[in-house]
Amino acid sequence: MVAAQLLERAPAPQPAGEDNPWHTAAACRRDEVGLFFAPSKEPTAARLSREEQAKQVCARCPVLLDCREHALAQPEPYGVWGGLTAAERRVVLARRRRRDVELVEVPGPRGRIAG
């Protein structure tokens, strides 16, 4: 969840609100960008370790869900955002699309109520 570093740098996190966007309270504001984004040609074991470290930062973040929803709405194609990797976000988006399609296609109950 390196959204805070990419969107804006500030000296210290402040509570989110109307005058303060969600990313100002992000836990990742003080971490290295490299923790959340893969260097080119990163070995798999190193990537998994780095992503796990990034997710640990996200786990203690007060704006984890805001960050995740931002990354899903954009959609952000790279990095760890809201505790999810790009691959995990693709799965979430696919599930949401499937759910939305099912909600549209599934007809309501058609049986009669005996009385």
Side-chain angles (χ1 to χ4, degrees):
M1 183 184 111
V2 76
Q5 292 173 329
L6 292 178
L7 298 173
E8 176 186 347
R9 282 233 183 234
Q14 300 171 7
E18 197 170 297
D19 295 332
N20 246 352
W22 62 266
H23 53 82
T24 60
C28 66
R29 293 185 62 76
R30 301 213 169 135
D31 290 293
E32 291 296 319
V33 174
L35 183 61
F36 297 90
F37 290 90
S40 62
K41 299 182 182 179
E42 181 179 33
T44 301
R47 177 182 54 80
L48 294 173
S49 175
R50 179 188 49 74
E51 288 174 347
E52 186 55 38
Q53 290 174 359
K55 288 178 177 187
Q56 288 174 9
V57 172
C58 294
R60 70 174 196 272
C61 186
V63 294
L64 178 134
L65 295 178
D66 294 314
C67 179
R68 181 177 295 170
E69 287 306 315
H70 164 82
L72 293 166
Q74 289 306 311
E76 293 290 349
Y78 306 106
V80 175
W81 291 73
L84 299 177
T85 64
E88 292 166 335
R89 289 192 304 276
R90 284 191 296 274
V91 169
V92 170
L93 289 170
R95 286 180 180 159
R96 284 184 179 182
R97 283 190 296 271
R98 229 180 355 261
R99 180 199 64 209
D100 292 346
V101 167
E102 288 172 358
L103 288 174
V104 170
E105 292 179 351
V106 174
R110 294 184 180 198
R112 292 185 185 183
I113 298 175

